[in-house]
Amino acid sequence: MPRVTRWTALIGIAGMLGVAVLLVLSLSNVADFDPPDVTTRDVSFEQGGHVLQGTLYDASNDGPIALLVHGDAAQDRTSEGGYLPMVNTLTDAGISVFSWDKPGVGASTGDWLDQGMQDRAAEAVAALAALREMPGMEKRALGLIGFSQGGWVLPRVPGLTKDAAFLVLIGAAVSWQEQGAYFTTRRLEAEGQTPVMIAEVLQAQMARALISFAPEASYADYLEVEQQAGTPGSALMTEARFGFVQRNFAEDVRGLLPGLTLPVLVLSGADDLNVDGAQTESVYSTALAGANPHNRFVLVPGATHSLLQAAYYNYQLPSQWPALAQARFLLSGRDAYAPEVLTTLTDWITTVSTGP
């Protein structure tokens, strides 16, 4: 019998680990993070004096196209790859996807922090118009999928254009101010704060915000209020971020819903730590239940803000994701979503795009 040395044993173990890794990868959905294997076209359009650059993943010659409307923060057309499992699922179902870099991000010019929600709606309308003008697009159904902050953008679009055929809202909030209070509440609960302490923090936070973000307030006013409250410098907004919040501080979807007759799908996570999904489902279903027979309002059990499985991915900020959650997401791809979410999305878009 041959002698097994320490080195041969280590080589054998390394080989087995390599085989195990290859097996895991072969059984995973890492390919969901590759761009879809469909016709890809670069599309640019102008809005507000800026040029926006995006990509059309065209899955068919005559099927529907879903335009992606980003949430908060600086996001490129694939949200650094995070959109790709959903994009691949949509294109696999014959639904094309168009997404573009936010102003000042990637290849787009401008600055997304200079925008209000009406500006963002005008941008979405310009994107719809750019697609509609392309050859072969005359009769194709064009719709919008809005994530989080996109919930204050999408309901404005039908009042600006007739090009949109449907709206999908994912993780949308009702009120900017109520969403901020909810976010803070869930954060403080996770830190172990008592209900009394949370109520005191929320009251003080709102009192400062009403002064700082009043229409006539300046950045200097904001800094003074926060410094008097003892807010550390690392937690202070930049002047650009302050202007963005001040511009959008009064947003509330309740005033946007009357008269909205397009098919609307609202998907909210029951375990969302950023937005009160139950409130969103209630407000939309009350306001729009009879507005269109295709309307659906779904509070998804066990789902996060992004509709991922809450058991593995429920964090308020991307920066909070541990390495294990990141690795699991990369291996899971579309399977990271809560059960039936993507099927509900693709089936609904297909149904509303092909008539009754």
Side-chain angles (χ1 to χ4, degrees):
M1 180 178 288
R3 182 182 176 191
V4 179
T5 66
R6 178 182 299 175
W7 287 112
T8 56
L10 288 174
I11 291 171
I13 292 171
M16 288 187 289
L17 288 174
V19 170
V21 169
L22 289 174
L23 180 61
V24 169
L25 291 176
S26 68
L27 296 174
S28 73
N29 289 323
V30 291
D32 281 346
F33 290 93
D34 295 331
D37 186 18
V38 297
T39 300
T40 301
R41 303 188 229 178
D42 292 329
V43 178
S44 65
F45 60 96
E46 295 184 12
Q47 172 57 33
H50 307 298
V51 178
L52 291 305
Q53 303 279 357
T55 299
L56 172 63
Y57 302 101
D58 206 354
S60 72
N61 293 323
D62 56 2
I65 304 176
L67 285 72
L68 306 187
V69 177
H70 301 295
D72 197 10
Q75 297 194 60
D76 63 20
R77 66 195 73 183
T78 68
S79 193
E80 297 183 342
Y83 288 160
L84 288 174
M86 179 180 287
V87 172
N88 273 290
T89 303
L90 289 165
T91 55
D92 284 350
I95 301 166
S96 302
V97 177
F98 178 55
S99 185
W100 61 95
D101 302 332
K102 271 190 168 185
V105 180
S108 294
T109 64
D111 187 346
W112 65 274
L113 284 170
D114 288 340
Q115 295 182 309
M117 295 303 110
Q118 192 68 25
D119 300 315
R120 298 202 60 201
E123 182 179 294
V125 170
L128 286 166
L131 291 185
R132 186 64 78 197
E133 292 169 1
M134 295 172 63
M137 296 291 183
E138 296 82 5
K139 296 183 179 180
R140 293 180 68 172
L142 309 181
L144 302 167
I145 300 177
F147 303 95
S148 190
Q149 193 180 93
W152 291 302
V153 178
L154 266 59
R156 289 178 154 92
V157 171
L160 302 174
T161 181
K162 295 182 179 180
D163 278 331
F166 60 84
L167 306 178
V168 178
L169 296 100
I170 294 176
V174 172
S175 156
W176 187 286
Q177 295 169 36
E178 291 169 18
Q179 187 270 331
Y182 179 85
F183 184 97
T184 300
T185 298
R186 299 308 298 266
R187 175 178 61 80
L188 294 175
E189 287 174 346
E191 294 173 0
Q193 300 292 346
T194 66
V196 172
M197 177 63 72
I198 292 173
E200 291 176 354
V201 170
L202 291 178
Q203 184 178 14
Q205 177 179 280
M206 181 54 68
R208 298 199 308 274
L210 290 173
I211 297 172
S212 298
F213 302 121
E216 68 278 5
S218 67
Y219 184 57
D221 295 330
Y222 159 76
L223 291 177
E224 181 179 358
V225 168
E226 292 301 319
Q227 288 165 356
Q228 288 178 353
T231 303
S234 59
L236 294 173
M237 296 180 185
T238 64
E239 187 167 4
R241 180 68 186 183
F242 162 79
F244 180 76
V245 173
Q246 183 184 46
R247 199 172 299 116
N248 297 292
F249 187 65
E251 284 296 330
D252 192 314
V253 77
R254 294 177 182 92
L256 301 174
L257 300 183
L260 191 61
T261 58
L262 285 184
V264 176
L265 171 63
V266 178
L267 297 171
S268 303
D271 292 337
D272 192 333
L273 297 178
N274 296 39
V275 168
D276 187 344
Q279 181 196 46
T280 297
E281 190 274 338
S282 175
V283 168
Y284 272 87
S285 62
T286 299
L288 298 179
N292 189 290
H294 291 299
N295 286 354
R296 288 193 64 188
F297 316 99
V298 185
L299 185 62
V300 183
T304 71
H305 184 53
S306 300
L307 303 181
L308 303 179
Q309 297 182 55
Y312 306 117
Y313 308 106
N314 214 10
Y315 304 92
Q316 287 189 311
L317 302 172
S319 60
Q320 296 172 338
W321 280 39
L324 181 60
Q326 296 177 43
R328 182 187 291 272
F329 182 56
L330 290 173
L331 292 173
S332 298
R334 68 187 71 189
D335 289 343
Y337 285 88
E340 304 301 319
V341 162
L342 295 180
T343 300
T344 298
L345 175 64
T346 55
D347 287 354
W348 186 85
I349 291 176
T350 300
T351 297
V352 301
S353 301
T354 53

Short mmCIF file of all heavy atoms in Angstrom, two decimals, residues 303-343:
data_model
loop_
_atom_site.label_atom_id
_atom_site.label_comp_id
_atom_site.label_asym_id
_atom_site.label_seq_id
_atom_site.Cartn_x
_atom_site.Cartn_y
_atom_site.Cartn_z
N ALA A 303 -41.61 38.13 2.83
CA ALA A 303 -40.85 38.84 1.80
C ALA A 303 -40.28 40.15 2.35
O ALA A 303 -40.89 40.82 3.18
CB ALA A 303 -41.72 39.13 0.59
N THR A 304 -39.12 40.52 1.85
CA THR A 304 -38.42 41.74 2.24
C THR A 304 -38.89 42.93 1.41
O THR A 304 -39.80 42.82 0.58
CB THR A 304 -36.91 41.59 2.03
OG1 THR A 304 -36.63 41.57 0.61
CG2 THR A 304 -36.38 40.30 2.64
N HIS A 305 -38.22 44.04 1.59
CA HIS A 305 -38.49 45.25 0.81
C HIS A 305 -38.36 45.00 -0.69
O HIS A 305 -39.13 45.53 -1.49
CB HIS A 305 -37.53 46.35 1.26
CG HIS A 305 -37.74 47.68 0.62
ND1 HIS A 305 -38.95 48.32 0.62
CD2 HIS A 305 -36.88 48.51 -0.05
CE1 HIS A 305 -38.85 49.49 0.00
NE2 HIS A 305 -37.61 49.61 -0.43
N SER A 306 -37.40 44.17 -1.07
CA SER A 306 -37.16 43.84 -2.48
C SER A 306 -37.85 42.55 -2.89
O SER A 306 -37.59 42.04 -3.98
CB SER A 306 -35.66 43.73 -2.75
OG SER A 306 -35.01 44.94 -2.45
N LEU A 307 -38.68 41.99 -2.00
CA LEU A 307 -39.43 40.76 -2.23
C LEU A 307 -38.55 39.52 -2.21
O LEU A 307 -38.93 38.46 -2.73
CB LEU A 307 -40.22 40.83 -3.54
CG LEU A 307 -41.20 41.99 -3.66
CD1 LEU A 307 -41.95 41.92 -4.99
CD2 LEU A 307 -42.20 42.00 -2.50
N LEU A 308 -37.37 39.61 -1.59
CA LEU A 308 -36.54 38.44 -1.38
C LEU A 308 -37.05 37.69 -0.15
O LEU A 308 -37.86 38.20 0.62
CB LEU A 308 -35.08 38.84 -1.17
CG LEU A 308 -34.43 39.66 -2.29
CD1 LEU A 308 -33.00 40.00 -1.91
CD2 LEU A 308 -34.48 38.93 -3.62
N GLN A 309 -36.56 36.47 0.05
CA GLN A 309 -36.96 35.67 1.20
C GLN A 309 -36.43 36.31 2.49
O GLN A 309 -35.22 36.43 2.68
CB GLN A 309 -36.44 34.25 1.07
CG GLN A 309 -37.00 33.49 -0.11
CD GLN A 309 -36.49 32.06 -0.16
OE1 GLN A 309 -36.61 31.30 0.80
NE2 GLN A 309 -35.88 31.71 -1.29
N ALA A 310 -37.34 36.71 3.35
CA ALA A 310 -36.96 37.42 4.57
C ALA A 310 -36.09 36.59 5.50
O ALA A 310 -35.28 37.12 6.25
CB ALA A 310 -38.21 37.89 5.31
N ALA A 311 -36.23 35.28 5.45
CA ALA A 311 -35.45 34.41 6.33
C ALA A 311 -33.95 34.57 6.10
O ALA A 311 -33.15 34.32 7.02
CB ALA A 311 -35.86 32.96 6.12
N TYR A 312 -33.56 35.01 4.91
CA TYR A 312 -32.13 35.09 4.58
C TYR A 312 -31.64 36.50 4.26
O TYR A 312 -30.45 36.78 4.36
CB TYR A 312 -31.82 34.20 3.38
CG TYR A 312 -32.27 32.77 3.54
CD1 TYR A 312 -33.24 32.24 2.68
CD2 TYR A 312 -31.76 31.97 4.55
CE1 TYR A 312 -33.66 30.92 2.82
CE2 TYR A 312 -32.18 30.65 4.70
CZ TYR A 312 -33.14 30.14 3.84
OH TYR A 312 -33.57 28.84 3.98
N TYR A 313 -32.54 37.40 3.84
CA TYR A 313 -32.07 38.66 3.26
C TYR A 313 -32.73 39.90 3.85
O TYR A 313 -32.74 40.95 3.21
CB TYR A 313 -32.35 38.65 1.75
CG TYR A 313 -31.85 37.44 1.03
CD1 TYR A 313 -32.72 36.44 0.59
CD2 TYR A 313 -30.48 37.28 0.78
CE1 TYR A 313 -32.26 35.32 -0.08
CE2 TYR A 313 -30.01 36.16 0.11
CZ TYR A 313 -30.90 35.18 -0.32
OH TYR A 313 -30.43 34.07 -0.97
N ASN A 314 -33.25 39.83 5.07
CA ASN A 314 -34.01 40.97 5.57
C ASN A 314 -33.13 41.96 6.33
O ASN A 314 -32.97 41.88 7.56
CB ASN A 314 -35.17 40.51 6.45
CG ASN A 314 -36.38 41.43 6.30
OD1 ASN A 314 -36.40 42.28 5.42
ND2 ASN A 314 -37.38 41.26 7.13
N TYR A 315 -32.60 42.92 5.60
CA TYR A 315 -31.78 44.00 6.17
C TYR A 315 -32.28 45.32 5.59
O TYR A 315 -32.78 45.37 4.47
CB TYR A 315 -30.30 43.79 5.81
CG TYR A 315 -29.77 42.45 6.24
CD1 TYR A 315 -29.81 41.35 5.38
CD2 TYR A 315 -29.26 42.27 7.53
CE1 TYR A 315 -29.34 40.11 5.78
CE2 TYR A 315 -28.79 41.02 7.94
CZ TYR A 315 -28.83 39.95 7.06
OH TYR A 315 -28.38 38.72 7.46
N GLN A 316 -32.13 46.39 6.35
CA GLN A 316 -32.62 47.68 5.88
C GLN A 316 -31.72 48.28 4.80
O GLN A 316 -32.21 48.96 3.90
CB GLN A 316 -32.76 48.66 7.05
CG GLN A 316 -33.94 48.35 7.97
CD GLN A 316 -34.18 49.44 9.00
OE1 GLN A 316 -33.25 49.90 9.67
NE2 GLN A 316 -35.43 49.87 9.11
N LEU A 317 -30.43 48.04 4.89
CA LEU A 317 -29.48 48.65 3.97
C LEU A 317 -28.61 47.58 3.32
O LEU A 317 -28.24 46.59 3.98
CB LEU A 317 -28.58 49.64 4.71
CG LEU A 317 -29.28 50.79 5.44
CD1 LEU A 317 -28.28 51.56 6.27
CD2 LEU A 317 -29.99 51.70 4.45
N PRO A 318 -28.26 47.74 2.05
CA PRO A 318 -27.35 46.78 1.40
C PRO A 318 -26.03 46.62 2.14
O PRO A 318 -25.46 45.52 2.13
CB PRO A 318 -27.14 47.40 0.01
CG PRO A 318 -28.36 48.23 -0.23
CD PRO A 318 -28.74 48.77 1.13
N SER A 319 -25.56 47.69 2.77
CA SER A 319 -24.29 47.62 3.49
C SER A 319 -24.34 46.70 4.70
O SER A 319 -23.30 46.32 5.25
CB SER A 319 -23.87 49.02 3.94
OG SER A 319 -24.86 49.58 4.80
N GLN A 320 -25.55 46.33 5.14
CA GLN A 320 -25.70 45.47 6.30
C GLN A 320 -25.65 43.98 5.96
O GLN A 320 -25.59 43.15 6.85
CB GLN A 320 -27.02 45.78 7.01
CG GLN A 320 -27.10 47.19 7.58
CD GLN A 320 -28.49 47.54 8.10
OE1 GLN A 320 -29.50 46.94 7.69
NE2 GLN A 320 -28.56 48.50 9.00
N TRP A 321 -25.68 43.65 4.67
CA TRP A 321 -25.67 42.24 4.29
C TRP A 321 -24.36 41.58 4.69
O TRP A 321 -23.28 42.03 4.26
CB TRP A 321 -25.84 42.10 2.78
CG TRP A 321 -27.23 42.23 2.27
CD1 TRP A 321 -28.19 43.10 2.70
CD2 TRP A 321 -27.82 41.47 1.22
NE1 TRP A 321 -29.34 42.93 1.97
CE2 TRP A 321 -29.15 41.93 1.06
CE3 TRP A 321 -27.36 40.45 0.39
CZ2 TRP A 321 -30.01 41.40 0.10
CZ3 TRP A 321 -28.22 39.92 -0.56
CH2 TRP A 321 -29.53 40.39 -0.69
N PRO A 322 -24.39 40.51 5.47
CA PRO A 322 -23.16 39.78 5.77
C PRO A 322 -22.69 38.99 4.55
O PRO A 322 -23.45 38.78 3.58
CB PRO A 322 -23.57 38.85 6.91
CG PRO A 322 -25.03 38.63 6.73
CD PRO A 322 -25.57 39.91 6.14
N ALA A 323 -21.45 38.51 4.61
CA ALA A 323 -20.89 37.78 3.48
C ALA A 323 -21.70 36.54 3.14
O ALA A 323 -21.86 36.19 1.96
CB ALA A 323 -19.44 37.39 3.79
N LEU A 324 -22.25 35.88 4.15
CA LEU A 324 -23.04 34.67 3.89
C LEU A 324 -24.28 34.98 3.08
O LEU A 324 -24.64 34.24 2.15
CB LEU A 324 -23.42 33.99 5.22
CG LEU A 324 -24.24 32.69 5.10
CD1 LEU A 324 -23.45 31.65 4.31
CD2 LEU A 324 -24.60 32.16 6.48
N ALA A 325 -24.97 36.08 3.41
CA ALA A 325 -26.16 36.46 2.66
C ALA A 325 -25.81 36.83 1.23
O ALA A 325 -26.54 36.48 0.28
CB ALA A 325 -26.87 37.62 3.35
N GLN A 326 -24.69 37.53 1.04
CA GLN A 326 -24.26 37.89 -0.31
C GLN A 326 -23.96 36.64 -1.13
O GLN A 326 -24.36 36.54 -2.30
CB GLN A 326 -23.03 38.78 -0.23
CG GLN A 326 -23.28 40.13 0.43
CD GLN A 326 -22.02 40.95 0.55
OE1 GLN A 326 -21.21 41.02 -0.38
NE2 GLN A 326 -21.81 41.58 1.69
N ALA A 327 -23.26 35.68 -0.52
CA ALA A 327 -22.92 34.45 -1.23
C ALA A 327 -24.18 33.66 -1.57
O ALA A 327 -24.32 33.13 -2.68
CB ALA A 327 -21.97 33.60 -0.39
N ARG A 328 -25.11 33.59 -0.62
CA ARG A 328 -26.36 32.87 -0.86
C ARG A 328 -27.13 33.50 -2.02
O ARG A 328 -27.69 32.80 -2.86
CB ARG A 328 -27.21 32.86 0.41
CG ARG A 328 -28.53 32.08 0.26
CD ARG A 328 -29.41 32.26 1.48
NE ARG A 328 -28.86 31.61 2.65
CZ ARG A 328 -29.10 30.33 2.97
NH1 ARG A 328 -29.86 29.58 2.19
NH2 ARG A 328 -28.58 29.82 4.06
N PHE A 329 -27.16 34.83 -2.06
CA PHE A 329 -27.88 35.52 -3.12
C PHE A 329 -27.26 35.22 -4.48
O PHE A 329 -27.97 34.94 -5.46
CB PHE A 329 -27.86 37.03 -2.84
CG PHE A 329 -28.62 37.85 -3.85
CD1 PHE A 329 -29.95 37.60 -4.13
CD2 PHE A 329 -28.00 38.90 -4.51
CE1 PHE A 329 -30.66 38.36 -5.05
CE2 PHE A 329 -28.70 39.68 -5.43
CZ PHE A 329 -30.03 39.40 -5.70
N LEU A 330 -25.93 35.24 -4.56
CA LEU A 330 -25.25 34.98 -5.81
C LEU A 330 -25.50 33.55 -6.30
O LEU A 330 -25.59 33.30 -7.50
CB LEU A 330 -23.75 35.23 -5.66
CG LEU A 330 -23.33 36.69 -5.50
CD1 LEU A 330 -21.86 36.80 -5.19
CD2 LEU A 330 -23.66 37.48 -6.77
N LEU A 331 -25.59 32.61 -5.37
CA LEU A 331 -25.85 31.23 -5.75
C LEU A 331 -27.33 30.97 -6.06
O LEU A 331 -27.66 30.14 -6.89
CB LEU A 331 -25.40 30.28 -4.64
CG LEU A 331 -23.89 30.19 -4.39
CD1 LEU A 331 -23.59 29.34 -3.17
CD2 LEU A 331 -23.17 29.60 -5.62
N SER A 332 -28.20 31.73 -5.39
CA SER A 332 -29.64 31.48 -5.53
C SER A 332 -30.26 32.16 -6.75
O SER A 332 -31.20 31.65 -7.35
CB SER A 332 -30.39 31.95 -4.27
OG SER A 332 -29.95 31.23 -3.14
N GLY A 333 -29.75 33.34 -7.12
CA GLY A 333 -30.33 34.05 -8.25
C GLY A 333 -31.81 34.27 -8.07
O GLY A 333 -32.26 34.76 -7.03
N ARG A 334 -32.60 33.87 -9.04
CA ARG A 334 -34.04 34.10 -8.98
C ARG A 334 -34.70 33.34 -7.84
O ARG A 334 -35.79 33.73 -7.38
CB ARG A 334 -34.69 33.74 -10.32
CG ARG A 334 -34.69 32.27 -10.68
CD ARG A 334 -35.20 32.04 -12.10
NE ARG A 334 -34.24 32.51 -13.10
CZ ARG A 334 -34.51 32.58 -14.40
NH1 ARG A 334 -35.71 32.22 -14.85
NH2 ARG A 334 -33.59 33.01 -15.26
N ASP A 335 -34.08 32.28 -7.36
CA ASP A 335 -34.65 31.53 -6.24
C ASP A 335 -34.55 32.28 -4.92
O ASP A 335 -35.10 31.84 -3.90
CB ASP A 335 -33.97 30.16 -6.10
CG ASP A 335 -34.36 29.21 -7.23
OD1 ASP A 335 -35.36 29.47 -7.91
OD2 ASP A 335 -33.64 28.22 -7.43
N ALA A 336 -33.84 33.41 -4.90
CA ALA A 336 -33.75 34.21 -3.68
C ALA A 336 -35.06 34.93 -3.40
O ALA A 336 -35.32 35.33 -2.25
CB ALA A 336 -32.62 35.23 -3.81
N TYR A 337 -35.90 35.08 -4.41
CA TYR A 337 -37.19 35.75 -4.22
C TYR A 337 -38.16 34.88 -3.43
O TYR A 337 -38.06 33.65 -3.44
CB TYR A 337 -37.80 36.14 -5.57
CG TYR A 337 -37.11 37.32 -6.20
CD1 TYR A 337 -36.01 37.16 -7.02
CD2 TYR A 337 -37.56 38.62 -5.96
CE1 TYR A 337 -35.36 38.25 -7.59
CE2 TYR A 337 -36.93 39.72 -6.52
CZ TYR A 337 -35.83 39.53 -7.32
OH TYR A 337 -35.18 40.62 -7.87
N ALA A 338 -39.06 35.53 -2.74
CA ALA A 338 -40.09 34.80 -2.01
C ALA A 338 -40.90 33.96 -3.01
O ALA A 338 -41.04 34.33 -4.18
CB ALA A 338 -41.01 35.78 -1.27
N PRO A 339 -41.41 32.81 -2.56
CA PRO A 339 -42.14 31.91 -3.46
C PRO A 339 -43.26 32.61 -4.22
O PRO A 339 -44.00 33.42 -3.65
CB PRO A 339 -42.69 30.83 -2.51
CG PRO A 339 -41.74 30.83 -1.36
CD PRO A 339 -41.31 32.27 -1.19
N GLU A 340 -43.37 32.29 -5.49
CA GLU A 340 -44.45 32.75 -6.38
C GLU A 340 -44.36 34.21 -6.79
O GLU A 340 -45.15 34.67 -7.62
CB GLU A 340 -45.84 32.49 -5.75
CG GLU A 340 -46.09 31.04 -5.37
CD GLU A 340 -45.97 30.10 -6.55
OE1 GLU A 340 -46.45 30.45 -7.64
OE2 GLU A 340 -45.38 29.02 -6.39
N VAL A 341 -43.41 34.96 -6.24
CA VAL A 341 -43.35 36.39 -6.57
C VAL A 341 -43.10 36.61 -8.06
O VAL A 341 -43.83 37.35 -8.73
CB VAL A 341 -42.25 37.09 -5.75
CG1 VAL A 341 -41.86 38.43 -6.39
CG2 VAL A 341 -42.71 37.34 -4.34
N LEU A 342 -42.06 35.98 -8.59
CA LEU A 342 -41.71 36.21 -9.98
C LEU A 342 -42.75 35.61 -10.93
O LEU A 342 -43.01 36.18 -12.01
CB LEU A 342 -40.32 35.65 -10.27
CG LEU A 342 -39.18 36.34 -9.51
CD1 LEU A 342 -37.84 35.73 -9.87
CD2 LEU A 342 -39.17 37.85 -9.78
N THR A 343 -43.34 34.49 -10.55
CA THR A 343 -44.41 33.92 -11.37
C THR A 343 -45.61 34.86 -11.42
O THR A 343 -46.22 35.07 -12.48
CB THR A 343 -44.85 32.56 -10.80
OG1 THR A 343 -43.73 31.67 -10.81
CG2 THR A 343 -45.96 31.96 -11.64
#
